[in-house]
Amino acid sequence: MKVGVKYCGGCNCTYDRGREVQRLKEQFPGIKFRSGCLPEECGLWLVVCGCARACVKWEELGTEDKVLQMRNSGDFRRAVSWLKERLEKEEKSSRTSDFQEEDRPLPGVRKEKRILRLGQEAWMTRPFFQDDVKRFAALTGDFNRIHLDAAYAADTRYGRPVVHGVLTASLISTLMGMELPGEGTVLLEERLRFLQPVFYGEKIKIQVRLDSCTERRRDYVAVLTGRCLKAGGETAVEAVCRQMLSKDLFWVDLSGEEKKTNVESGNL
């Protein structure tokens, strides 16, 4: 996403607008903030005014829903929610799904069952922000300062707050529960390895693959591998999981034929 930044003349600034813009950039490293560009170059704009006069003419930049005016530090807090909302909309609009059942069911398989094949894959993307980490800490009681206190985290090897590892790894479970294998699956076992830290605003790509499956009388026990990848391709989390799939809900083709499917998602 590219966001244009337009400043007023700065003749009567009542707050440090440069510092506020820098904080915004740090919280949203996945967004390209550009100043001095043409109106048509950016779909969203931040109009940074130094005082309540807000003398900048913004109408040439777009409609009101595409332009956010900021007159004080409080408006920058509003900008965080505004940008998060638009990131989520962008992710949702880009979502595609190939998890469509076959036009005709295989012999002996009811149409409403989800058909899976060995080697099938799914993926989604999701960023984490400071608000997500705060909510997770409140829910779990894990208020370790390395996740929440920027000053404390600055003195650690990471230099800044780190997203809870279990919060990042939970996306693997999310993808398995919602897409592959899908709704109705029951998690039996999960083995995790935490390899790289994840920071606020980083977009994480989650991948899941159906590697093997054992058929039992009433169900299947599937083994899936999952990974959480950072933007540079480094693996943040690795997982090996065992899922129980009821035969009332799933049919697994054990012939070994591979089928890869992808899901892009920002808010499953």
Side-chain angles (χ1 to χ4, degrees):
M1 177 187 294
K2 183 187 291 186
V3 176
V5 181
K6 183 167 183 169
Y7 294 90
C8 70
C11 57
N12 187 34
C13 289
T14 58
Y15 66 102
D16 190 342
R17 57 181 185 169
R19 182 181 64 181
E20 295 293 347
V21 171
Q22 183 59 35
R23 286 178 177 174
L24 208 58
K25 291 179 179 179
E26 291 173 356
Q27 187 159 356
F28 294 92
I31 294 179
K32 297 179 180 178
F33 293 90
R34 296 287 183 266
S35 57
C37 50
L38 297 175
E40 60 270 18
E41 292 183 57
C42 298
L44 299 173
W45 283 85
L46 300 177
V47 176
V48 183
C49 301
C51 66
R53 290 179 57 195
C55 59
V56 177
K57 296 186 180 299
W58 58 266
E59 290 80 5
E60 64 175 4
L61 303 176
T63 56
E64 287 189 24
D65 63 320
K66 302 291 185 181
V67 179
L68 184 65
Q69 296 186 72
M70 286 169 288
R71 305 174 179 85
N72 52 54
S73 296
D75 285 340
F76 277 87
R77 291 190 289 272
R78 183 164 58 96
V80 172
S81 299
W82 188 76
L83 289 171
K84 286 180 66 174
E85 179 183 344
R86 274 144 186 82
L87 275 175
E88 290 171 358
K89 285 183 178 180
E90 183 180 85
E91 293 287 348
K92 187 175 181 180
S93 65
S94 66
R95 178 177 178 174
T96 59
S97 176
D98 294 324
F99 284 95
Q100 303 296 324
E101 295 181 342
E102 306 294 338
D103 292 336
R104 289 185 293 180
L106 297 177
V109 180
R110 296 190 320 197
K111 178 65 176 179
E112 61 269 22
K113 290 185 180 181
R114 169 159 283 188
I115 301 170
L116 304 175
R117 291 179 173 83
L118 298 180
Q120 189 166 329
E121 297 181 356
W123 58 269
M124 59 178 276
T125 59
R126 167 74 149 83
F128 280 121
F129 297 100
Q130 185 177 26
D131 289 346
D132 301 313
V133 174
K134 288 181 177 179
R135 286 195 295 268
F136 183 80
L139 180 65
T140 63
D142 183 356
F143 292 98
N144 187 327
R145 286 185 292 166
I146 198 170
H147 304 302
L148 300 164
D149 188 332
Y152 177 86
D155 291 331
T156 69
R157 62 182 298 178
Y158 304 114
R160 48 182 165 154
V162 178
V163 176
H164 296 78
V166 175
L167 177 55
T168 301
S170 69
L171 296 180
I172 296 174
S173 180
T174 296
L175 188 56
M176 289 189 297
M178 299 304 296
E179 299 295 349
L180 181 66
E183 289 187 301
T185 186
V186 178
L187 181 62
L188 299 177
E189 181 184 4
E190 186 176 43
R191 301 195 303 273
L192 298 171
R193 295 179 64 212
F194 300 94
L195 304 174
Q196 292 287 336
V198 173
F199 303 107
Y200 296 171
E202 281 194 294
K203 182 179 287 188
I204 303 301
K205 180 177 181 179
I206 305 89
Q207 298 175 327
V208 169
R209 174 187 170 97
L210 176 57
D211 284 336
S212 64
C213 189
T214 302
E215 184 174 8
R216 304 193 299 194
R217 186 170 63 88
R218 299 179 58 183
D219 53 43
Y220 303 93
V221 175
V223 177
L224 301 101
T225 54
R227 292 196 303 167
C228 297
L229 302 173
K230 294 160 66 77
E234 307 100 326
T235 299
V237 182
E238 286 183 344
V240 178
C241 310
R242 293 172 65 241
Q243 294 272 6
M244 183 173 66
L245 315 178
S246 170
K247 287 186 175 179
D248 291 333
L249 301 174
F250 299 93
W251 186 88
V252 183
D253 180 1
L254 299 176
S255 65
E257 179 182 356
E258 294 191 0
K259 177 185 179 181
K260 295 183 179 180
T261 51
N262 295 326
V263 171
E264 172 79 14
S265 173
N267 189 24
L268 285 178

